[in-house]
Amino acid sequence: MALWNASLNQNMLHEMTSPFATEAEALVLSWLAPYFGMQGGHLCAGSSVANLTGIWAARDVAGVKTVVASQAAHLSVEKACRILGLEFVVVPVDGRGRLNREQLPKLDDACLVLTAGTTATGSIDPLDLAGVAKWTHVDAAWSGPLRLSPAHAARLDGVEAADSVAVSAHKWLFQPKDSALVMFRDLMAANAAISFGGGYLAKPNVGVQGTRSAAAIPLLATLIAWGREGVAQRLDHLMRVADLLADEIEKSDYLELWGRPETAINVFRPVGSTAAAFVQAVPAGMLSTCVLNGEIWARSVAANPSVDANLVVNSILAASHEDA
Ligand SMILES: *Cc1c(COP(=O)(O)O)cnc(C)c1O
């Protein structure tokens, strides 16, 4: 699909140069947005752009002056504040990596950014806070697609009260890069604020990008081929793989688990040695690292639905023995 799409090379800037892709995008949004309580939106290059777009709408629809997010929020949130000239206010996290609601400032003039699946630990901020600020943007770049899984959708309950939501389709919707969604609860109001007309455009250009790829076409193909059920099966499998790895780490005398995985991200380290050296001892590309409270931890992200869970578990256990 990606190859065929590349050969068509349609440009989403202009409806007349992308008749099928425009239809495909409308269809994909009409299927996915309701899972998040949103009316619709558009595709963009990634959730960095989706976060920028959501916070841009917060500024120009709701007139927010500040953006409040936890210290575990993705760097693209601070980046968006810098670009948009908004003040960025950081709130500490609790012991589980979630925004600490006790330490929230006043939110009357603020956009509250809640993360569903933080980059380092996969933690989900308290989404029942959606709606308490002037504007709520949920960064569901990583775990948003769990809304399609009956087994796990409830983890993101509350998201439907947000004003805007970002989801990276090139993460847990298994798309080629670059593919993400930005969605809005009041689509008309948001689009009015983030659109620009122009002589040569039949319709206004919506969002940050001008020319963009027809990422909706492979996404539409995936959704038709697998259905909601097929996406959910893969996500449920990856959640189980992460749980299995967590079980094995908890049983091991050589490894220490940071906490049970919320969204299939395991954070752990060898007991009494550094994670940086340990990560070098497993096959390249299997693990990454993250820094929590100034300490380096190893991080395993269950992103590949074809993963051989035993291979991952055995490689990690073997490396921890060698390391010891
Ligand atoms: C990956 C990620 C982003 C950035 O998304 P890109 O698609 O890489 O631009 C933002 N927020 C979170 C929580 C992420 O996991």
Side-chain angles (χ1 to χ4, degrees), residues 45-49 51 74 76 115-119 139 141-142 168 170-171 180:
S47 283
S48 298
V49 176
N51 286 341
H74 189 262
S76 58
T115 309
T118 58
T119 319
D139 177 0
W142 168 243
S168 284
H170 54 217
K171 291 179 178 172

Side-chain angles (χ1 to χ4, degrees), residues 173-252:
L173 288 172
F174 313 109
Q175 293 304 294
K177 290 150 198 81
D178 311 320
S179 184
L181 301 103
V182 59
M183 297 171 283
F184 297 98
R185 192 149 51 84
D186 185 344
L187 184 64
M188 291 252 285
N191 278 356
I194 61 167
S195 297
F196 286 80
Y200 74 109
L201 295 173
K203 279 195 175 171
N205 170 220
V206 183
V208 173
Q209 290 170 268
T211 293
R212 58 188 172 86
S213 72
I217 291 178
L219 180 53
L220 177 64
T222 301
L223 295 176
I224 290 172
W226 293 353
R228 185 200 56 73
E229 236 171 81
V231 173
Q233 275 166 11
R234 284 163 177 87
L235 294 174
D236 293 354
H237 170 65
L238 289 167
M239 293 288 278
R240 278 195 301 275
V241 167
D243 267 334
L244 177 79
L245 176 60
D247 292 345
E248 295 300 323
I249 292 169
E250 279 185 329
K251 276 190 247 161
S252 162

